[in-house]
Amino acid sequence: MRLVHPFHPRSGEAFEFLERMNSWRGDVVLALDEQGRRCSFPVEWTDMAPVDAFVEEAGGTCPFRTGDLVRLVDLVTGLRDGVGGMTP
């Protein structure tokens, strides 16, 4: 299993896969690092997550997904208008 989250300091590193499970945080992968220490990552931070069609089509040319940008606009608008908070 490989960690693929672009902003994680260990991005690109390979880990020994142990188990995939659903926890209170959501879908996670349990793995061992190179020193045999157990660690966990959200599935979407790994190469085990389904490929996001937008990210694949953009071919690495766009670091943002449309849904994330729409949520950001909602957050900024809410802050500007004094509403604060964001809808899920």
Side-chain angles (χ1 to χ4, degrees):
M1 185 247 4
R2 188 167 299 277
L3 191 60
V4 296
H5 189 285
F7 303 118
H8 194 283
R10 298 184 75 179
S11 183
E13 289 186 33
F15 295 82
E16 181 182 340
F17 173 77
L18 293 176
E19 180 180 5
R20 183 174 175 166
M21 60 184 281
N22 198 337
S23 75
W24 63 271
R25 291 187 297 177
D27 203 10
V28 296
V29 174
L30 300 178
L32 292 177
D33 68 8
E34 65 281 347
Q35 284 134 2
R37 292 180 299 212
R38 191 172 164 156
C39 49
S40 66
F41 303 102
V43 169
E44 56 272 2
W45 290 10
T46 72
D47 60 358
M48 297 182 70
V51 176
D52 183 308
F54 176 81
V55 172
E56 185 174 20
E57 189 64 31
T61 61
C62 183
F64 309 107
R65 294 176 300 190
T66 304
D68 295 336
L69 292 173
V70 170
R71 288 176 51 204
L72 178 61
V73 168
D74 290 343
L75 176 62
V76 171
T77 300
L79 292 171
R80 184 192 64 206
D81 297 341
V83 176
M86 166 171 109
T87 57

Coordinates of all heavy atoms in Angstrom, one line a residue:
M1 N 0.9 -1.2 0.0 CA 0.0 0.0 0.0 C 0.9 1.2 0.0 O 1.9 1.3 0.7 CB -0.9 -0.1 1.3 CG -1.9 1.0 1.4 SD -1.8 2.3 2.6 CE -0.3 2.1 3.6
R2 N 0.5 2.2 -0.8 CA 1.3 3.4 -0.9 C 0.5 4.6 -0.4 O -0.6 4.8 -0.7 CB 1.8 3.6 -2.3 CG 2.8 4.8 -2.5 CD 3.4 4.7 -3.8 NE 4.2 3.5 -4.1 CZ 5.4 3.3 -3.7 NH1 6.1 4.2 -3.0 NH2 6.0 2.1 -3.9
L3 N 1.2 5.5 0.3 CA 0.5 6.8 0.8 C 0.6 7.8 -0.3 O 1.7 8.1 -0.8 CB 1.3 7.3 2.0 CG 0.6 8.4 2.8 CD1 -0.8 8.0 3.3 CD2 1.5 8.8 4.0
V4 N -0.5 8.3 -0.8 CA -0.5 9.2 -1.9 C -1.0 10.6 -1.7 O -1.0 11.5 -2.6 CB -1.3 8.6 -3.1 CG1 -0.7 7.3 -3.6 CG2 -2.8 8.4 -2.7
H5 N -1.3 10.9 -0.4 CA -1.8 12.3 -0.1 C -0.7 13.3 -0.4 O 0.4 13.2 0.1 CB -2.2 12.3 1.4 CG -2.9 13.6 1.8 ND1 -2.3 14.8 1.9 CD2 -4.2 13.9 2.0 CE1 -3.1 15.8 2.2 NE2 -4.3 15.2 2.3
P6 N -1.0 14.3 -1.3 CA 0.1 15.1 -1.7 C 0.7 16.0 -0.7 O 1.9 16.4 -0.8 CB -0.6 16.0 -2.8 CG -2.0 16.0 -2.4 CD -2.3 14.6 -1.8
F7 N 0.1 16.3 0.5 CA 0.6 17.2 1.5 C 1.1 16.4 2.7 O 1.6 17.0 3.6 CB -0.4 18.2 1.9 CG -0.9 19.0 0.7 CD1 -2.2 19.0 0.3 CD2 0.0 19.8 -0.1 CE1 -2.7 19.7 -0.7 CE2 -0.5 20.5 -1.1 CZ -1.8 20.5 -1.5
H8 N 1.0 15.1 2.7 CA 1.5 14.3 3.9 C 3.0 14.2 3.8 O 3.6 14.0 2.7 CB 0.9 12.9 3.9 CG 1.1 12.2 5.2 ND1 2.3 11.6 5.5 CD2 0.2 12.1 6.2 CE1 2.1 11.1 6.7 NE2 0.9 11.3 7.2
P9 N 3.8 14.4 4.9 CA 5.2 14.3 4.8 C 5.8 13.0 4.3 O 6.9 12.9 3.8 CB 5.7 14.6 6.2 CG 4.5 14.6 7.1 CD 3.3 14.7 6.2
R10 N 5.0 11.9 4.4 CA 5.4 10.6 4.0 C 4.8 10.2 2.7 O 4.9 9.0 2.3 CB 5.2 9.6 5.1 CG 5.9 9.9 6.4 CD 5.7 8.9 7.5 NE 6.6 7.8 7.2 CZ 6.6 6.7 8.0 NH1 6.0 6.7 9.1 NH2 7.4 5.7 7.6
S11 N 4.3 11.1 2.0 CA 3.6 10.8 0.7 C 4.6 10.1 -0.2 O 5.8 10.5 -0.3 CB 3.2 12.1 0.0 OG 2.5 11.8 -1.2
G12 N 4.2 9.1 -0.9 CA 5.0 8.3 -1.8 C 5.6 7.1 -1.2 O 6.1 6.2 -1.9
E13 N 5.6 7.0 0.1 CA 6.2 5.9 0.8 C 5.3 4.6 0.8 O 4.1 4.8 0.8 CB 6.5 6.2 2.3 CG 7.6 7.1 2.5 CD 8.0 7.3 4.0 OE1 7.8 6.4 4.8 OE2 8.4 8.5 4.3
A14 N 5.9 3.5 0.7 CA 5.2 2.2 0.7 C 5.1 1.7 2.2 O 6.0 1.8 2.9 CB 5.8 1.2 -0.2
F15 N 3.9 1.1 2.5 CA 3.7 0.5 3.8 C 3.2 -0.9 3.6 O 2.5 -1.2 2.6 CB 2.7 1.3 4.6 CG 3.1 2.7 4.9 CD1 3.0 3.7 4.0 CD2 3.6 3.0 6.2 CE1 3.4 5.0 4.3 CE2 4.1 4.2 6.5 CZ 4.0 5.3 5.6
E16 N 3.5 -1.8 4.6 CA 2.9 -3.2 4.5 C 1.5 -3.2 4.9 O 1.2 -2.8 6.1 CB 3.7 -4.1 5.4 CG 3.3 -5.5 5.4 CD 4.1 -6.4 6.3 OE1 5.2 -6.1 6.7 OE2 3.5 -7.5 6.6
F17 N 0.6 -3.5 4.0 CA -0.8 -3.5 4.3 C -1.2 -4.6 5.4 O -0.7 -5.7 5.3 CB -1.6 -3.8 3.0 CG -3.1 -4.0 3.2 CD1 -3.9 -2.9 3.5 CD2 -3.7 -5.3 3.2 CE1 -5.3 -3.1 3.7 CE2 -5.0 -5.5 3.4 CZ -5.8 -4.4 3.6
L18 N -2.0 -4.2 6.4 CA -2.5 -5.2 7.4 C -4.0 -5.4 7.2 O -4.4 -6.6 7.1 CB -2.2 -4.7 8.8 CG -0.7 -4.6 9.2 CD1 -0.7 -4.0 10.6 CD2 -0.1 -5.9 9.2
E19 N -4.7 -4.3 7.2 CA -6.2 -4.5 7.3 C -6.9 -3.2 6.9 O -6.3 -2.1 7.1 CB -6.6 -4.9 8.7 CG -8.0 -5.1 8.9 CD -8.3 -5.4 10.4 OE1 -7.4 -5.4 11.2 OE2 -9.5 -5.7 10.7
R20 N -8.0 -3.3 6.2 CA -8.9 -2.2 6.0 C -10.1 -2.3 6.8 O -10.7 -3.4 6.9 CB -9.3 -2.2 4.5 CG -10.1 -1.0 4.1 CD -10.3 -1.0 2.6 NE -11.2 0.1 2.2 CZ -11.4 0.5 1.0 NH1 -10.8 0.0 0.0 NH2 -12.2 1.5 0.7
M21 N -10.5 -1.2 7.5 CA -11.6 -1.3 8.4 C -12.3 0.0 8.5 O -11.8 1.1 8.1 CB -11.1 -1.7 9.8 CG -10.1 -0.8 10.5 SD -9.4 -1.4 12.0 CE -10.8 -1.0 13.1
N22 N -13.5 0.0 9.1 CA -14.3 1.2 9.3 C -14.2 1.5 10.8 O -14.6 0.7 11.6 CB -15.7 0.9 8.9 CG -16.5 2.2 8.7 OD1 -16.1 3.2 9.2 ND2 -17.5 2.2 7.9
S23 N -13.8 2.7 11.1 CA -13.7 3.1 12.5 C -14.5 4.4 12.7 O -15.2 4.8 11.8 CB -12.2 3.4 12.8 OG -11.8 4.7 12.3
W24 N -14.4 5.0 13.8 CA -15.2 6.2 14.1 C -14.8 7.3 13.2 O -15.5 8.3 12.9 CB -15.0 6.6 15.6 CG -13.6 6.9 16.0 CD1 -12.7 6.1 16.4 CD2 -13.0 8.2 15.9 NE1 -11.5 6.8 16.7 CE2 -11.7 8.1 16.4 CE3 -13.5 9.5 15.5 CZ2 -10.8 9.2 16.4 CZ3 -12.6 10.6 15.6 CH2 -11.3 10.4 16.0
R25 N -13.5 7.2 12.7 CA -13.0 8.3 11.7 C -13.5 8.0 10.3 O -13.3 8.8 9.4 CB -11.5 8.3 11.7 CG -10.9 8.8 13.0 CD -9.4 9.0 12.9 NE -8.8 7.7 12.7 CZ -7.5 7.5 12.5 NH1 -6.7 8.6 12.5 NH2 -7.0 6.3 12.3
G26 N -14.0 6.8 10.0 CA -14.4 6.5 8.7 C -13.6 5.3 8.2 O -13.0 4.5 9.0
D27 N -13.4 5.1 6.9 CA -12.7 4.0 6.3 C -11.2 4.2 6.4 O -10.7 5.2 6.0 CB -13.2 3.9 4.8 CG -13.0 2.5 4.2 OD1 -12.7 1.6 5.0 OD2 -13.1 2.4 3.0
V28 N -10.5 3.3 7.1 CA -9.1 3.5 7.3 C -8.3 2.2 6.9 O -8.9 1.1 6.8 CB -8.7 3.8 8.8 CG1 -9.3 5.1 9.2 CG2 -9.2 2.7 9.7
V29 N -7.0 2.4 6.7 CA -6.1 1.3 6.3 C -5.1 1.2 7.5 O -4.5 2.2 7.9 CB -5.4 1.6 5.0 CG1 -4.3 0.6 4.8 CG2 -6.3 1.7 3.9
L30 N -5.0 0.0 8.0 CA -3.9 -0.3 9.0 C -2.7 -0.8 8.3 O -2.9 -1.7 7.4 CB -4.4 -1.3 10.1 CG -5.6 -0.8 10.9 CD1 -6.1 -1.9 11.8 CD2 -5.4 0.5 11.6
A31 N -1.5 -0.4 8.7 CA -0.3 -0.8 8.0 C 0.9 -0.8 8.9 O 0.8 -0.3 10.0 CB -0.1 0.2 6.8
L32 N 2.0 -1.4 8.4 CA 3.2 -1.3 9.2 C 4.2 -0.5 8.4 O 4.3 -0.6 7.1 CB 3.8 -2.7 9.3 CG 3.1 -3.7 10.2 CD1 3.7 -5.1 10.2 CD2 3.0 -3.2 11.6
D33 N 4.9 0.4 9.1 CA 6.0 1.2 8.4 C 7.2 0.3 8.3 O 7.3 -0.8 8.7 CB 6.2 2.5 9.0 CG 6.8 2.5 10.4 OD1 7.2 1.4 10.9 OD2 6.9 3.5 11.1
E34 N 8.3 0.9 7.8 CA 9.6 0.2 7.6 C 10.2 -0.3 8.8 O 11.0 -1.2 8.8 CB 10.5 1.0 6.7 CG 11.1 2.3 7.4 CD 10.1 3.5 7.4 OE1 9.1 3.4 6.6 OE2 10.3 4.4 8.1
Q35 N 9.9 0.3 10.0 CA 10.4 -0.1 11.3 C 9.5 -1.1 12.0 O 9.7 -1.4 13.2 CB 10.7 1.1 12.1 CG 12.0 1.8 11.7 CD 11.8 3.3 11.6 OE1 10.8 3.8 11.9 NE2 12.8 3.9 11.1
G36 N 8.4 -1.5 11.3 CA 7.5 -2.4 11.9 C 6.5 -1.8 12.9 O 5.8 -2.5 13.6
R37 N 6.4 -0.5 12.9 CA 5.4 0.2 13.7 C 4.0 0.2 13.0 O 4.0 0.5 11.8 CB 5.9 1.6 14.0 CG 7.1 1.7 14.9 CD 7.5 3.1 15.2 NE 7.8 3.7 13.9 CZ 8.7 4.7 13.7 NH1 9.4 5.1 14.7 NH2 8.9 5.2 12.5
R38 N 3.0 0.0 13.8 CA 1.6 0.0 13.2 C 1.2 1.4 13.1 O 1.4 2.3 14.0 CB 0.7 -0.8 14.2 CG -0.6 -1.1 13.7 CD -1.3 -2.0 14.6 NE -2.7 -2.0 14.3 CZ -3.5 -2.9 14.6 NH1 -3.1 -4.0 15.3 NH2 -4.8 -2.8 14.3
C39 N 0.5 1.7 12.0 CA 0.0 3.1 11.7 C -1.3 3.0 10.9 O -1.6 1.9 10.4 CB 1.0 4.0 11.0 SG 1.8 3.2 9.6
S40 N -2.1 4.0 10.9 CA -3.3 4.0 10.2 C -3.5 5.3 9.4 O -3.0 6.3 9.8 CB -4.5 3.8 11.1 OG -4.7 4.9 11.9
F41 N -4.1 5.2 8.2 CA -4.4 6.3 7.4 C -5.8 6.2 6.8 O -6.3 5.1 6.6 CB -3.4 6.3 6.2 CG -2.0 6.3 6.5 CD1 -1.2 5.1 6.4 CD2 -1.3 7.4 6.9 CE1 0.1 5.1 6.8 CE2 0.0 7.4 7.3 CZ 0.7 6.2 7.2
P42 N -6.4 7.4 6.6 CA -7.7 7.3 5.9 C -7.5 6.7 4.5 O -6.5 6.9 3.9 CB -8.1 8.8 5.7 CG -7.3 9.5 6.8 CD -6.1 8.7 7.0
V43 N -8.4 5.8 4.1 CA -8.3 5.1 2.8 C -8.0 6.1 1.7 O -7.2 5.9 0.8 CB -9.5 4.3 2.5 CG1 -9.5 3.7 1.1 CG2 -9.6 3.1 3.5
E44 N -8.7 7.3 1.7 CA -8.6 8.2 0.6 C -7.2 8.8 0.5 O -6.8 9.5 -0.5 CB -9.6 9.3 0.6 CG -9.7 10.1 1.9 CD -10.6 9.5 3.0 OE1 -11.2 8.4 2.7 OE2 -10.8 10.1 4.0
W45 N -6.3 8.6 1.5 CA -4.9 9.1 1.5 C -4.0 8.1 0.8 O -2.8 8.3 0.7 CB -4.4 9.4 2.9 CG -5.0 10.6 3.5 CD1 -6.1 11.3 3.1 CD2 -4.6 11.2 4.7 NE1 -6.4 12.4 4.0 CE2 -5.4 12.3 5.0 CE3 -3.6 11.0 5.6 CZ2 -5.3 13.1 6.1 CZ3 -3.4 11.8 6.7 CH2 -4.3 12.8 6.9
T46 N -4.6 6.9 0.5 CA -3.7 5.8 0.0 C -4.1 5.5 -1.5 O -5.1 5.9 -2.0 CB -3.9 4.5 0.8 OG1 -5.2 4.0 0.6 CG2 -3.8 4.8 2.3
D47 N -3.3 4.6 -2.1 CA -3.6 4.1 -3.4 C -4.7 3.1 -3.4 O -5.0 2.5 -4.5 CB -2.3 3.6 -4.1 CG -1.7 2.5 -3.4 OD1 -2.1 2.0 -2.3 OD2 -0.6 2.0 -3.9
M48 N -5.3 2.8 -2.3 CA -6.4 1.8 -2.2 C -7.7 2.5 -2.4 O -8.7 1.8 -2.6 CB -6.3 1.1 -0.9 CG -5.1 0.3 -0.7 SD -5.1 -0.6 0.9 CE -6.3 -1.8 0.5
A49 N -7.8 3.8 -2.4 CA -9.0 4.5 -2.7 C -9.4 4.4 -4.1 O -8.5 4.4 -5.0 CB -8.9 5.9 -2.2
P50 N -10.7 4.5 -4.4 CA -11.1 4.6 -5.8 C -10.6 5.8 -6.4 O -10.4 6.9 -5.8 CB -12.6 4.6 -5.8 CG -13.0 4.3 -4.4 CD -11.8 4.5 -3.5
V51 N -10.2 5.8 -7.7 CA -9.7 6.9 -8.4 C -10.7 8.0 -8.6 O -11.8 7.7 -9.1 CB -9.1 6.5 -9.8 CG1 -8.6 7.7 -10.5 CG2 -8.0 5.5 -9.5
D52 N -10.5 9.2 -8.2 CA -11.4 10.3 -8.5 C -11.3 10.7 -9.9 O -10.3 11.0 -10.5 CB -10.9 11.5 -7.6 CG -11.8 12.7 -7.7 OD1 -12.1 13.1 -8.8 OD2 -12.2 13.2 -6.6
A53 N -12.5 10.6 -10.6 CA -12.5 10.8 -12.1 C -12.0 12.2 -12.5 O -11.3 12.3 -13.5 CB -13.9 10.6 -12.6
F54 N -12.3 13.2 -11.7 CA -11.8 14.6 -12.0 C -10.3 14.6 -11.9 O -9.6 15.2 -12.8 CB -12.5 15.6 -11.1 CG -11.9 17.0 -11.3 CD1 -12.4 17.8 -12.4 CD2 -10.9 17.5 -10.5 CE1 -11.9 19.0 -12.6 CE2 -10.4 18.8 -10.8 CZ -10.9 19.5 -11.8
V55 N -9.8 14.1 -10.8 CA -8.3 14.1 -10.6 C -7.6 13.4 -11.8 O -6.6 13.8 -12.3 CB -7.9 13.5 -9.3 CG1 -6.4 13.4 -9.1 CG2 -8.5 14.4 -8.1
E56 N -8.2 12.2 -12.2 CA -7.6 11.5 -13.2 C -7.6 12.2 -14.6 O -6.7 12.3 -15.3 CB -8.3 10.1 -13.4 CG -7.6 9.2 -14.4 CD -8.3 7.8 -14.4 OE1 -9.4 7.7 -13.9 OE2 -7.6 6.9 -14.9
E57 N -8.8 12.8 -14.9 CA -8.9 13.6 -16.1 C -8.0 14.8 -16.2 O -7.5 15.2 -17.2 CB -10.4 14.0 -16.3 CG -10.7 14.6 -17.6 CD -10.6 13.6 -18.8 OE1 -10.7 12.4 -18.6 OE2 -10.2 14.1 -19.9
A58 N -7.9 15.5 -15.0 CA -7.0 16.7 -14.9 C -5.6 16.3 -15.1 O -4.7 17.2 -15.5 CB -7.2 17.4 -13.6
G59 N -5.2 15.1 -14.9 CA -3.8 14.6 -15.2 C -2.8 15.4 -14.3 O -1.7 15.6 -14.8
G60 N -3.1 15.7 -13.1 CA -2.2 16.4 -12.2 C -2.1 17.9 -12.5 O -1.2 18.6 -11.9
T61 N -2.9 18.4 -13.4 CA -2.8 19.9 -13.7 C -3.6 20.7 -12.8 O -3.5 22.0 -12.8 CB -3.2 20.1 -15.2 OG1 -4.5 19.7 -15.4 CG2 -2.3 19.4 -16.1
C62 N -4.5 20.1 -12.0 CA -5.4 20.9 -11.2 C -5.3 20.3 -9.7 O -5.7 19.2 -9.5 CB -6.8 20.9 -11.7 SG -7.9 21.9 -10.7
P63 N -4.8 21.1 -8.8 CA -4.7 20.5 -7.4 C -6.0 20.5 -6.6 O -6.1 20.0 -5.5 CB -3.7 21.4 -6.7 CG -3.8 22.7 -7.5 CD -4.2 22.4 -8.9
F64 N -7.1 21.1 -7.2 CA -8.3 21.2 -6.5 C -9.5 20.5 -7.2 O -9.5 20.5 -8.4 CB -8.7 22.7 -6.3 CG -7.6 23.5 -5.8 CD1 -6.9 24.4 -6.6 CD2 -7.3 23.4 -4.4 CE1 -5.9 25.1 -6.0 CE2 -6.2 24.2 -3.9 CZ -5.5 25.0 -4.7
R65 N -10.4 19.9 -6.4 CA -11.6 19.3 -7.0 C -12.7 20.3 -7.0 O -12.8 21.2 -6.1 CB -12.0 18.1 -6.2 CG -10.9 17.0 -6.4 CD -11.3 15.8 -5.5 NE -11.4 16.3 -4.1 CZ -11.5 15.5 -3.1 NH1 -11.6 14.2 -3.3 NH2 -11.6 15.9 -1.9
T66 N -13.6 20.2 -7.9 CA -14.7 21.2 -8.1 C -15.5 21.3 -6.8 O -15.9 22.3 -6.3 CB -15.6 20.8 -9.2 OG1 -14.8 20.7 -10.4 CG2 -16.7 21.8 -9.4
G67 N -15.9 20.1 -6.2 CA -16.7 20.1 -5.0 C -16.0 20.8 -3.8 O -16.7 21.5 -3.0
D68 N -14.7 20.7 -3.7 CA -13.9 21.3 -2.7 C -14.0 22.9 -2.9 O -14.1 23.6 -1.9 CB -12.5 20.8 -2.6 CG -12.4 19.4 -2.2 OD1 -13.4 18.9 -1.6 OD2 -11.4 18.7 -2.6
L69 N -13.8 23.3 -4.1 CA -13.9 24.7 -4.4 C -15.2 25.3 -4.1 O -15.3 26.4 -3.6 CB -13.5 25.0 -5.8 CG -12.0 24.7 -6.2 CD1 -11.7 24.8 -7.7 CD2 -11.0 25.6 -5.4
V70 N -16.3 24.6 -4.4 CA -17.7 25.1 -4.1 C -17.8 25.2 -2.6 O -18.4 26.2 -2.1 CB -18.7 24.1 -4.7 CG1 -20.1 24.5 -4.2 CG2 -18.7 24.2 -6.2
R71 N -17.3 24.2 -1.8 CA -17.4 24.3 -0.4 C -16.6 25.5 0.2 O -17.1 26.2 1.1 CB -16.9 23.0 0.2 CG -17.9 21.9 0.0 CD -17.5 20.5 0.5 NE -17.0 20.6 1.9 CZ -16.2 19.7 2.5 NH1 -15.7 18.8 1.7 NH2 -15.8 19.9 3.7
L72 N -15.5 25.8 -0.4 CA -14.7 26.9 0.0 C -15.4 28.2 -0.3 O -15.4 29.1 0.6 CB -13.3 26.9 -0.8 CG -12.4 28.1 -0.5 CD1 -12.0 28.1 1.0 CD2 -11.1 28.0 -1.3
V73 N -16.1 28.3 -1.4 CA -16.8 29.5 -1.7 C -18.0 29.7 -0.7 O -18.2 30.8 -0.2 CB -17.4 29.5 -3.2 CG1 -18.5 30.6 -3.4 CG2 -16.3 29.6 -4.2
D74 N -18.6 28.6 -0.4 CA -19.7 28.7 0.7 C -19.1 29.2 2.0 O -19.7 30.0 2.7 CB -20.4 27.3 0.8 CG -21.2 26.9 -0.4 OD1 -21.6 27.8 -1.2 OD2 -21.5 25.7 -0.5
L75 N -18.0 28.7 2.4 CA -17.4 29.1 3.6 C -17.0 30.5 3.6 O -17.3 31.3 4.6 CB -16.1 28.2 3.9 CG -15.3 28.6 5.1 CD1 -16.1 28.4 6.4 CD2 -14.1 27.7 5.2
V76 N -16.3 31.0 2.6 CA -15.9 32.4 2.5 C -17.1 33.3 2.5 O -17.2 34.3 3.1 CB -15.0 32.6 1.3 CG1 -14.7 34.1 1.0 CG2 -13.7 31.9 1.4
T77 N -18.2 32.9 1.7 CA -19.4 33.7 1.7 C -20.0 33.8 3.0 O -20.5 34.9 3.5 CB -20.4 33.1 0.6 OG1 -19.7 33.1 -0.6 CG2 -21.6 33.9 0.6
G78 N -20.1 32.7 3.7 CA -20.7 32.7 5.1 C -19.9 33.6 6.0 O -20.5 34.3 6.8
L79 N -18.6 33.5 6.0 CA -17.7 34.3 6.8 C -17.9 35.8 6.5 O -18.0 36.7 7.4 CB -16.3 33.9 6.7 CG -15.9 32.6 7.3 CD1 -14.5 32.2 6.9 CD2 -16.1 32.5 8.8
R80 N -18.0 36.1 5.2 CA -18.1 37.5 4.8 C -19.5 38.1 5.2 O -19.6 39.2 5.7 CB -18.0 37.6 3.3 CG -18.1 39.0 2.7 CD -18.3 39.1 1.2 NE -19.6 38.5 0.9 CZ -19.9 37.9 -0.2 NH1 -19.0 37.8 -1.2 NH2 -21.1 37.4 -0.4
D81 N -20.5 37.3 5.1 CA -21.9 37.7 5.5 C -22.2 37.6 7.0 O -23.3 37.8 7.4 CB -22.9 36.9 4.7 CG -22.8 37.1 3.2 OD1 -22.2 38.2 2.8 OD2 -23.3 36.3 2.4
G82 N -21.2 37.1 7.8 CA -21.4 37.0 9.2 C -22.1 35.8 9.6 O -22.5 35.6 10.8
V83 N -22.3 34.8 8.7 CA -23.1 33.6 9.0 C -22.1 32.7 9.8 O -22.5 32.0 10.7 CB -23.7 33.0 7.8 CG1 -24.3 31.6 8.1 CG2 -24.6 33.9 7.1
G84 N -20.9 32.5 9.3 CA -19.9 31.6 9.9 C -20.4 30.2 9.7 O -21.6 29.9 9.5
G85 N -19.5 29.3 9.6 CA -20.0 27.9 9.4 C -20.1 27.5 7.9 O -20.1 28.4 7.0
M86 N -20.4 26.3 7.7 CA -20.4 25.8 6.3 C -21.4 24.6 6.3 O -21.5 23.9 7.2 CB -19.0 25.4 6.0 CG -18.7 24.5 4.8 SD -17.0 24.4 4.5 CE -16.7 22.7 5.0
T87 N -22.1 24.5 5.2 CA -23.0 23.3 5.0 C -22.2 22.1 4.5 O -21.2 22.3 3.8 CB -24.1 23.7 4.0 OG1 -23.5 24.0 2.8 CG2 -25.0 24.8 4.5
P88 N -22.5 20.9 5.0 CA -21.8 19.7 4.6 C -21.9 19.4 3.1 O -22.8 19.8 2.5 CB -22.4 18.6 5.5 CG -23.6 19.1 6.1 CD -23.6 20.6 5.9

